[in-house]
Amino acid sequence: MVMVVEPLPDELGKAHAGRIAYLNALPGLGKLLHRTLGPAKEHLKRNEFRQQFHYLATRLAIEPERYLAQHSMLPFLYAYSGRKNTGQMYMPLIRKWLKQADSPILQYVRSCPHCIQEQEANMGLSWWIRKHQLPGVDVCLEHKVPLIQVENQDALLRTPGFFLANSLFSTKSAPAWDHPTVSRYHEFASWLLSQPSRLHPEKLERCIKTQCGGLDIAMDIKKHVQHSSLSLYVRSAFPVDWLTTHYPVLIGENYQGREVGIDAAFRGQGATGQVIAMILASLFESPTHLLSKIEESPVHLPRLSSRRLPSIARAQLRSQEAFVQVYIQANGQANRIAALLNCQNEVIYRRLTQYGLPAMRRSKSQHRAQILKRLKDATPVELQEWGKAMQAHWQQYGKGNFQLNLSIYASLLGVI
Ligand SMILES: [Zn+2]
């Protein structure tokens, strides 16, 4: 059996594995993986159980979730769980979303000469820590000196002190590291890395929105406003040198005032940790400032139950006829109905099913115009009949895709 040792403070998980491989006289991380988890063919590709951390955490009786929070880069890389809310925990990222615990940043590893000396003085050895691996952070946050970088495939099997002592490293430039925005970026990046769970999307978004409103930053990416956007604001907050190295697209020739990574950061799947840290560093003084703003913003209770809704909205939800009016007004889009009635999308989806109405997409759907036009002139009896027929269809064939639902509904209405 492989001898396993405890991880050191803030030790990078892969480096912890590397240290264990070295102590067991194994020639590499691959060999350790093979020895502890068996040959690769027995596992699904990128399955969580093929990742080393799981075995090590289990052997050491550390909760895998805690191991990931304290020894992987996930808390930084996937700090924001996105509008599709992929949850606040780290384990499901691996299990469900097939994220690698560490590899995206491991083309090289970095360390700080002063930290190495301190580690050696205190513990008798040096080790690779996570804080030195943060993208966009080029100096040691404690000692404010440029990090040393090792590009050696066996780097993780040895201590950073070994590479320092043998001059087997390069020192990268640290552009504008003492610029105020860059310093704030450092603070936010290490704050994100230290989070025991991922940021809640609603709280974060509301806070960003309020802050952007106060600073007159246009956040609506659908409107063609070129002189104001979040990315323009971020670009003006960061020094050119730093952007050239870490986010060149903002100063590239093709940049026209919109950049999808930043301007659509709070849509769909959400942004990378680096983008989140860049936005936060541009808008807020410090993590403490951000947290105070989060607390200040109005508490928004989840409105899963229609009982908590204002009476008008409640009435519009309760009557099929009234609901259809809102449906027409919102072009059949669930999220727009939800916005009009000030309730959550889920409530709307339940009503759509209940009334036998197909949800429509934002993009131009076939038959939409005809359906909406016919609904306008419909009698309550017709609405009920169509709704029942649609439900009967769903019951028999399942919900299927939205385009198909629309054509079936259109034929029920007799418009095609
Ligand atoms: Zn240091």
Side-chain angles (χ1 to χ4, degrees):
M1 201 193 243
V2 170
M3 180 179 69
V4 171
V5 289
E6 295 275 338
L8 292 158
D10 200 43
E11 186 171 29
L12 188 67
K14 286 250 162 140
H16 177 218
R19 212 153 50 82
I20 289 168
Y22 183 80
L23 290 172
N24 286 280
L26 294 168
L29 288 173
K31 199 75 195 162
L32 177 69
L33 204 56
H34 188 275
R35 181 71 69 83
T36 53
L37 300 178
K41 66 176 188 318
E42 289 169 17
H43 299 265
L44 288 173
K45 217 178 170 193
R46 292 178 75 200
N47 184 294
E48 60 157 312
F49 298 111
R50 193 64 200 159
Q51 294 198 49
Q52 191 66 74
F53 77 92
H54 200 274
Y55 173 87
L56 298 182
T58 312
R59 275 284 305 272
L60 294 165
I62 302 172
E63 272 284 304
E65 179 69 19
R66 188 160 69 89
Y67 187 91
L68 289 176
Q70 295 178 353
H71 298 288
S72 80
M73 297 302 289
L74 294 177
F76 175 79
L77 297 172
Y78 302 102
Y80 166 63
S81 60
R83 183 103 19 121
K84 287 186 177 162
N85 199 349
T86 46
Q88 261 64 62
M89 311 275 283
Y90 299 117
M91 269 305 276
L93 277 176
I94 304 246
R95 197 184 291 133
K96 239 168 97 184
W97 304 92
L98 301 175
K99 304 292 185 196
Q100 295 258 329
D102 271 321
S103 50
I105 48 136
L106 288 177
Q107 288 91 4
Y108 51 79
V109 264
R110 300 187 298 179
S111 188
C112 153
H114 297 287
C115 285
I116 291 173
Q117 279 176 358
E118 282 180 12
Q119 288 171 335
E120 284 175 349
N122 295 335
M123 305 282 282
L125 86 163
S126 59
W127 64 97
W128 302 101
I129 65 171
R130 294 187 306 161
K131 268 190 189 165
H132 292 150
Q133 322 304 329
L134 285 166
V137 180
D138 307 304
V139 292
C140 173
L141 296 170
E142 222 172 294
H143 300 102
K144 307 292 180 199
V145 295
L147 296 168
I148 61 164
Q149 181 167 313
V150 176
E151 282 168 75
N152 178 315
Q153 70 175 61
D154 293 329
L156 295 174
L157 296 193
R158 297 190 173 266
T159 64
F162 168 83
F163 294 95
L164 182 68
N166 292 286
S167 301
L168 296 168
F169 63 87
S170 57
T171 309
K172 294 289 169 202
S173 69
W177 67 268
D178 54 354
H179 183 280
T181 312
V182 176
S183 303
R184 287 204 297 275
Y185 174 89
H186 293 170
E187 235 189 296
F188 276 107
S190 68
W191 177 73
L192 290 176
L193 188 65
S194 70
Q195 293 306 298
S197 66
R198 304 169 74 205
L199 296 179
H200 193 280
E202 255 182 59
K203 283 182 188 164
L204 182 69
E205 277 174 45
R206 200 171 50 247
C207 201
I208 301 260
K209 237 179 166 174
T210 315
Q211 197 73 353
C212 283
L215 293 162
D216 239 349
I217 303 167
M219 276 192 88
D220 193 343
I221 52 167
K222 274 175 270 168
K223 285 191 191 136
H224 294 283
V225 192
Q226 298 284 323
H227 59 269
S228 170
S229 71
L230 193 50
S231 62
L232 272 170
Y233 192 81
V234 170
R235 188 173 82 144
S236 67
F238 276 86
V240 172
D241 287 358
W242 190 90
L243 289 174
T244 310
T245 310
H246 297 297
Y247 212 80
V249 63
L250 273 193
I251 44 166
E253 273 174 30
N254 293 328
Y255 178 72
Q256 304 268 328
R258 291 284 163 77
E259 196 276 317
V260 68
I262 293 174
D263 290 308
F266 300 105
R267 283 156 198 280
Q269 291 202 330
T272 63
Q274 184 183 332
V275 164
I276 295 295
M278 284 168 71
I279 294 173
L280 294 176
S282 308
L283 296 175
F284 301 94
E285 295 303 319
S286 63
T288 322
H289 180 219
L290 168 72
L291 288 173
S292 72
K293 289 284 173 189
I294 286 180
E295 270 174 35
E296 268 173 39
S297 36
V299 182
H300 184 81
L301 292 169
R303 288 189 177 135
L304 284 171
S305 152
S306 54
R307 263 170 293 151
R308 286 203 206 122
L309 294 173
S311 54
I312 299 174
R314 226 163 36 220
Q316 271 163 324
L317 283 170
R318 274 213 196 114
S319 133
Q320 182 173 22
E321 247 187 292
F323 187 80
V324 167
Q325 290 313 311
V326 189
Y327 179 85
I328 296 168
Q329 201 188 334
N331 266 335
Q333 286 166 239
N335 59 336
R336 286 184 59 188
I337 304 174
L340 285 169
L341 296 179
N342 191 28
C343 63
Q344 288 206 345
N345 289 356
E346 291 149 69
V347 176
I348 301 307
Y349 279 115
R350 278 208 299 269
R351 293 289 161 163
L352 288 170
T353 311
Q354 186 189 334
Y355 296 139
L357 288 163
M360 297 185 183
R361 294 265 172 101
R362 190 175 59 213
S363 54
K364 220 173 155 68
S365 329
Q366 225 189 332
H367 310 308
R368 167 153 73 190
Q370 296 130 293
I371 291 173
L372 295 177
K373 190 166 172 286
R374 182 67 187 91
L375 284 176
K376 258 183 208 160
D377 308 324
T379 64
V381 178
E382 282 176 321
L383 290 178
Q384 270 195 5
E385 271 175 21
W386 297 332
K388 276 186 190 146
M390 196 66 206
Q391 282 172 335
H393 170 81
W394 285 334
Q395 242 160 34
Q396 199 172 349
Y397 302 101
K399 273 252 165 144
N401 81 41
F402 86 105
Q403 199 61 264
L404 186 71
N405 281 328
L406 284 189
S407 51
I408 285 162
Y409 195 63
S411 67
L412 288 173
L413 269 57
V415 294
I416 52 164

